[in-house]
Amino acid sequence: PQDIATALADATPWGADVTRRAAILNAAADAYEAHAGELFAILSREAGKALPDAVAELREAVDFLRYYAAQAQPDQQARGIWTCISPWNLPVASFTGQIAAALAAGNAVLAKPAEQTPLIATRAVSLMHAAGVPASALQLLPGGGDIGAALTGDARINGVAFTGSTATALKIRETMAKHCTPGTPLIAETGGLNAMIVDSTALPEHAVRDIINGAFRSAGQRCSALRCLYVQAHIADHLLPLPQGAMG
């Protein structure tokens, strides 16, 4: 509780001008790329990532930093202090994307990574600090749901970005309604019911590759995971044994 109180008291919106903020976010992207091997190792150890998945995730994290650096505008008004709560399945990409968006607009960020993946979050934050993000503008608060509840139930919070389960998002909404100023934004990316449609023009081997990746990467626990597969009737008898074999 004392760490949370200190973080809230010390959080200071990033007052640097937009050009400086964008340059630092791009420098953080460069640092991510320079430390790719180290980040891959942590992703493998802590999140169980296979190398192709780790490569894709780091690319996404770097893209987030560069994208929000490019989107930053001089006339944007910072809201103040944002709580950013990210998931274990994309523990550097989702984590970085939430933070970069808030920082690009000049906000302060209290970052709460998934309790399963604090090591990769710690390294990412250290690289952002080394690139020039002030410690007062980006603070890391690892821990469980009690930390998240404290960081979404304080009147000083001016916005929350959350990626995770629908049930948790509803709890956050309820907590914010009780404690935060009316109208405080909640950006919640939760579960999806996603379909793939395969028709007779698809190459079966490509379809099977995408079915397996879509349904089973991160054990199927992604907002973008494939949940429903629709196959054109007259190719179904030929196609369906292929993903079954791939699963086997």
Side-chain angles (χ1 to χ4, degrees):
Q2 184 57 51
D3 288 342
I4 293 168
T6 300
L8 283 162
D10 289 351
T12 306
W14 194 3
D17 64 66
V18 66
T19 302
R20 175 69 176 158
R21 294 198 305 269
I24 288 174
L25 291 177
N26 277 312
D30 292 341
Y32 274 33
E33 292 179 322
H35 291 81
E38 176 189 354
L39 295 173
F40 293 159
I42 302 172
L43 283 167
S44 176
R45 172 187 173 187
E46 187 174 55
K49 296 275 182 178
L51 183 57
D53 207 7
V55 171
E57 177 159 1
L58 184 60
R59 285 175 173 165
E60 185 176 354
V62 168
D63 284 348
F64 273 133
L65 288 162
R66 300 201 192 284
Y67 173 79
Y68 286 115
Q71 291 296 310
Q73 300 294 328
D75 57 350
Q76 287 173 332
Q77 294 296 313
R79 287 185 174 271
I81 303 172
W82 276 77
T83 292
C84 294
I85 302 175
S86 53
W88 60 264
N89 57 357
L90 293 167
V92 68
S94 288
F95 179 78
T96 299
Q98 293 175 347
I99 293 169
L103 290 177
N107 295 287
V109 175
L110 303 177
K112 209 287 292 179
E115 60 188 296
Q116 299 92 340
T117 51
L119 298 179
I120 190 66
T122 300
R123 191 68 185 102
V125 166
S126 72
L127 291 172
M128 284 188 268
H129 284 160
V133 177
S136 58
L138 174 57
Q139 299 181 73
L140 178 69
L141 291 136
D146 57 328
I147 306 296
L151 295 176
T152 55
D154 191 285
R156 289 168 287 183
I157 297 299
N158 305 113
V160 175
F162 168 78
T163 303
S165 73
T166 303
T168 301
L170 292 172
K171 290 180 182 177
I172 291 172
R173 185 179 68 174
E174 182 178 355
T175 300
M176 291 176 67
K178 291 178 180 177
H179 300 285
C180 297
T181 302
T184 301
L186 167 62
I187 301 171
E189 181 187 10
T190 61
L193 187 63
N194 308 300
M196 180 188 293
I197 300 171
V198 183
D199 71 8
S200 60
T201 66
L203 292 173
E205 60 271 28
H206 289 180
V208 171
R209 175 199 63 196
D210 293 340
I211 290 164
I212 297 301
N213 280 342
F216 299 111
R217 185 171 286 183
S218 297
Q221 297 195 50
R222 285 192 178 185
C223 54
S224 56
L226 169 60
R227 307 292 173 87
C228 303
L229 176 64
Y230 294 92
V231 180
Q232 194 170 334
H234 77 266
I235 64 167
D237 289 344
H238 170 66
L239 182 75
L240 291 179
L242 303 179
Q244 292 167 356
M247 285 185 278

